[in-house]
Amino acid sequence: MSKFTAIDYVIFIIYFFIVAGYGYYIYRKKKKAVTDTHDFFLAEGSLTWWAIGASLIASNISAEQFIGMSGQGYSIGIAVAAYEWIAAIALIIVAVWFIPVYLKNKIFTMPQFLKTRYNETVALIMSIFWLFLYVFVNLTSILYLGAVAINNLVGGSPDSFHVILIALSIFAVFITLGGMKVIGFTDVIQVSVLIIGGLATTYVALTVVSKAFGFGDSALDGFNQLVKNAPDHFHMIFAKPTAATPQHQVDNYLTIPGLLSYVAGIWIINLNYWGCNQYITQRALGADLKTARKGILFAGFLKLLMPVIVMLPGIAAYVLHQKGMLQAEMAANSKHGEVISDNAYSAILGYLPNGLIGLSLAALTAAIVASLAGKANSISTIFTLDVYKKYIKKDSTEKNMVIVGRITIIGALIVSILLTWKDLLGIGGEGGFTFIQKYTGFISPGVFAMFILGMFWKRTTGAAAVVGVITGFLLSVLFNVYAPVWFGPETFLYSAYKNSTGVYEIPFHICMGLAFFFTMLIMILVSLGGPKINPKAFALDKSMFKLQPGILAMIVVTLLIISLLYVRFW
């Protein structure tokens, strides 16, 4: 990008040194992390509620949100905000009901949960699965998308892409080797930069829209013009398609199928991600219950803000494009001059003044590095505590495990670099957001069913857990790939619609809901063949779920804000 000037580089370098310097300060201050595994992997007792909340968001928001969600804002509109706003409710559920179970039973990793509640077989199967998923899908896609996004922003070449790839990895390693404590506290800076830079980009986008329609530099007028000129982009709930529905609206419904999306699919995605995911829950597992709950609910507040940062710029790009602007920018890198919705965010960045481009680059880098560091730490935690300690060297010392953890971090990032160097997995061709959803969504119904029944139904057996994971995967494949062909596009269970390529497809959220329902049913039937109370069932009591007044107030405020948003944009 030709507008990228010296001041932008200066701002970015300042950001880098602030984060690196603060990380080193935290590391030197808390040298215990060198030899203590609980401190290295969990920052046990060290993270404050605001550090936990900030770290949750910093780990969650990455290039796929900035690029992918802005792209969906361009093509779909505000309905995509459901992922963020329902996540806030999911975080409430996790804070109230999931975290007390984890903390009371001293759960530090998700495989440990499975071993404690079920058996070692289930734990080992899922440990291997999560390690492959985190390394080959999540870490790799975050690194690839991040390097592509930054390279596009600075107007780089294929060679500079590789330089950025290595630089991001080194930055992530520098932070991650200090342990979860360094990650958690540096994430506070990362998420602050992310929010400030993101809001600055959104503000500029709205003022550009305002000026384009003759209203001057007014962000409020810019937003009003978005609503006026793209009314179809400001509805949360899509109507069920009919024979007369245009194809682009059918495609939107396939992505977010109206009210049916809220029946199961979007809840499974969010509750599995926020409540059964080592990458996320790890931030809260080292804290006491009150601190963990406040941190998770704080993350919920921040999730309410995320659509403003990552979605509104996409809608702004749509309105400007419809007005005849951004024609070349939206068609960048296309083979036949067609619009690529994922270009929306970078197109808007072209309007930023000098200085703000550097801030936006810092915000994007903050999101990418925080996600890489968090994911690498989770990979290290699972491998070291659930594989190395249990199956490779059972007498390993605390210091040795920390060393192994650090080697694992470096190894995982090297593998990711090798896979992304020439995009061996085809992430670029498939689309990063689609790539992640494709390989995580197939297993989510089975994993979530296994966790939810394991927590709250004492009769669930280990055999049911194994059957559940396998069944959930097979049913996901069935409904996503084969059901419309085998059983037709219309049954009493689902309605399939032709996608843009002319192939009948069941909306992904509905597939997840169906897979989850039948997996739960099969797990319950299998468990009924076992004892009425499984000996490994968790002991639950009402006091675990009791809420303090301050926690309750945070929950009520969050629910009120979400209710108002849905009333306004239904």
Side-chain angles (χ1 to χ4, degrees):
M1 182 179 294
S2 58
K3 289 183 65 178
F4 210 85
T5 61
I7 186 65
D8 297 303
Y9 285 107
V10 168
I11 290 173
F12 178 78
I13 291 170
I14 289 173
Y15 148 76
F16 174 85
F17 278 106
I18 289 175
V19 174
Y22 186 60
Y24 184 71
Y25 165 76
I26 294 294
Y27 174 74
R28 295 291 297 176
K29 186 178 179 181
K30 305 287 185 180
K31 274 197 168 183
K32 177 187 173 187
V34 173
T35 57
D36 190 325
T37 54
H38 281 184
D39 203 73
F40 181 80
F41 295 116
L42 299 168
E44 192 167 37
S46 299
L47 295 183
T48 59
W49 63 266
W50 43 269
I52 290 172
S55 189
L56 284 170
I57 296 302
S59 298
N60 169 239
I61 302 297
S62 192
E64 70 265 24
Q65 272 79 20
F66 272 94
I67 306 303
M69 192 164 283
S70 287
Q72 288 192 319
Y74 179 96
S75 58
I76 294 175
I78 200 172
V80 74
Y83 282 105
E84 306 300 300
W85 293 339
I86 296 301
I89 302 177
L91 283 163
I92 291 173
I93 294 170
V94 171
V96 175
W97 286 289
F98 286 32
I99 285 297
V101 176
Y102 290 144
L103 296 184
K104 182 177 177 61
N105 292 279
K106 301 186 185 305
I107 301 298
F108 301 121
T109 70
M110 296 301 97
Q112 182 198 349
F113 169 91
L114 297 176
K115 179 188 174 184
T116 304
R117 178 59 182 85
Y118 296 118
N119 53 56
E120 281 206 26
T121 302
V122 177
L124 180 60
I125 290 171
M126 292 310 298
S127 293
I128 294 170
F129 166 77
W130 274 317
L131 286 172
F132 269 85
L133 181 73
Y134 287 173
V135 174
F136 291 96
V137 177
N138 296 103
L139 193 67
T140 302
S141 58
I142 291 169
L143 186 58
Y144 176 82
L145 284 172
V148 168
I150 292 175
N151 196 44
N152 288 343
L153 177 58
V154 300
S157 64
D159 290 335
S160 62
F161 166 81
H162 295 130
V163 173
I164 292 168
L165 203 67
I166 294 172
L168 287 172
S169 301
I170 292 173
F171 198 176
V173 165
F174 185 85
I175 293 173
T176 315
L177 291 183
M180 180 53 71
K181 192 173 300 176
V182 173
I183 294 171
F185 281 107
T186 54
D187 277 351
V188 176
I189 299 177
Q190 307 273 45
V191 88
S192 299
V193 172
L194 186 158
I195 290 173
I196 293 170
L199 287 177
T201 302
T202 300
Y203 175 80
V204 170
L206 294 177
T207 57
V208 169
V209 171
S210 178
K211 284 190 286 188
F213 286 90
F215 289 92
D217 292 325
S218 171
L220 181 59
D221 284 330
F223 179 78
N224 291 334
Q225 289 304 309
L226 292 187
V227 177
K228 180 180 178 181
N229 290 276
D232 58 319
H233 278 55
F234 285 89
H235 292 293
M236 292 296 300
I237 309 298
F238 294 138
K240 187 176 180 178
T242 65
T245 302
Q247 185 59 51
H248 76 277
Q249 292 183 16
V250 175
D251 292 339
N252 290 348
Y253 188 83
L254 286 171
T255 304
I256 303 180
L259 286 173
L260 287 176
S261 180
Y262 294 84
V263 173
I266 204 164
W267 292 105
I268 296 167
I269 292 170
N270 275 296
L271 288 171
N272 181 66
Y273 179 84
W274 294 102
C276 314
N277 182 355
Q278 181 72 31
Y279 174 49
I280 294 298
T281 55
Q282 189 166 334
R283 276 116 184 95
L285 294 181
D288 60 80
L289 182 58
K290 181 181 178 182
T291 303
R293 275 179 164 162
K294 286 180 72 175
I296 293 169
L297 294 175
F298 177 54
F301 276 125
L302 295 178
K303 288 300 283 182
L304 299 179
L305 185 63
M306 287 304 112
V308 177
I309 294 173
V310 298
M311 179 203 66
L312 274 185
I315 301 179
Y318 172 81
V319 171
L320 292 172
H321 186 263
Q322 293 299 107
K323 193 172 174 59
M325 304 165 68
L326 299 178
Q327 300 300 306
E329 290 84 351
M330 290 307 302
N333 301 317
S334 63
K335 293 181 180 179
H336 305 291
E338 70 274 13
V339 168
I340 298 178
S341 60
D342 280 357
N343 286 337
Y345 197 77
S346 58
I348 288 297
L349 291 179
Y351 286 107
L352 297 184
N354 293 339
L356 275 184
I357 297 178
L359 185 61
S360 293
L361 175 62
L364 186 58
T365 304
I368 296 161
V369 169
S371 294
L372 285 173
K375 187 64 70 178
N377 186 271
S378 296
I379 292 165
S380 173
T381 302
I382 291 176
F383 177 78
T384 306
L385 300 184
D386 295 300
V387 177
Y388 180 80
K389 173 68 174 175
K390 290 180 181 175
Y391 301 103
I392 298 175
K393 191 175 181 181
K394 295 182 179 181
D395 61 346
S396 181
T397 64
E398 294 278 300
K399 185 174 182 179
N400 178 246
M401 283 193 288
V402 171
I403 293 171
V404 169
R406 287 175 171 158
I407 293 172
T408 303
I409 288 166
I410 295 171
L413 282 164
I414 289 174
V415 170
S416 295
I417 291 172
L418 294 175
L419 290 172
T420 56
W421 195 260
K422 291 187 177 181
D423 192 17
L424 295 179
L425 299 180
I427 301 171
E430 200 163 8
F433 193 77
T434 303
F435 181 82
I436 293 172
Q437 294 300 318
K438 177 179 178 180
Y439 290 101
T440 58
F442 283 110
I443 201 73
S444 295
V447 171
F448 183 56
M450 181 172 58
F451 269 79
I452 201 78
L453 286 175
M455 285 186 193
F456 303 112
W457 193 42
K458 294 184 177 181
R459 194 160 184 168
T460 315
T461 64
V466 175
V467 170
V469 171
I470 296 171
T471 302
F473 173 74
L474 293 177
L475 287 173
S476 293
V477 173
L478 170 67
F479 288 117
N480 277 284
V481 181
Y482 297 109
V485 178
W486 290 357
F487 310 119
E490 191 75 35
T491 71
F492 73 98
L493 285 176
Y494 64 79
S495 295
Y497 307 91
K498 283 187 177 180
N499 59 27
S500 55
T501 63
V503 176
Y504 277 103
E505 179 183 332
I506 304 170
F508 184 64
H509 287 181
I510 294 173
C511 292
M512 291 189 75
L514 290 170
F516 175 73
F517 172 79
F518 286 111
T519 299
M520 289 278 285
L521 181 62
I522 291 170
M523 286 185 66
I524 289 169
L525 291 174
V526 172
S527 296
L528 289 175
K532 288 188 177 181
I533 297 181
N534 190 297
K536 287 201 165 191
F538 292 132
L540 306 178
D541 60 77
K542 291 183 179 179
S543 64
M544 293 169 57
F545 309 108
K546 187 177 181 180
L547 301 177
Q548 296 174 313
I551 300 293
L552 187 60
M554 293 176 75
I555 292 172
V556 171
V557 170
T558 301
L559 293 176
L560 283 174
I561 293 172
I562 293 172
S563 299
L564 290 172
L565 288 168
Y566 270 86
V567 168
R568 171 64 181 84
F569 296 111
W570 185 270

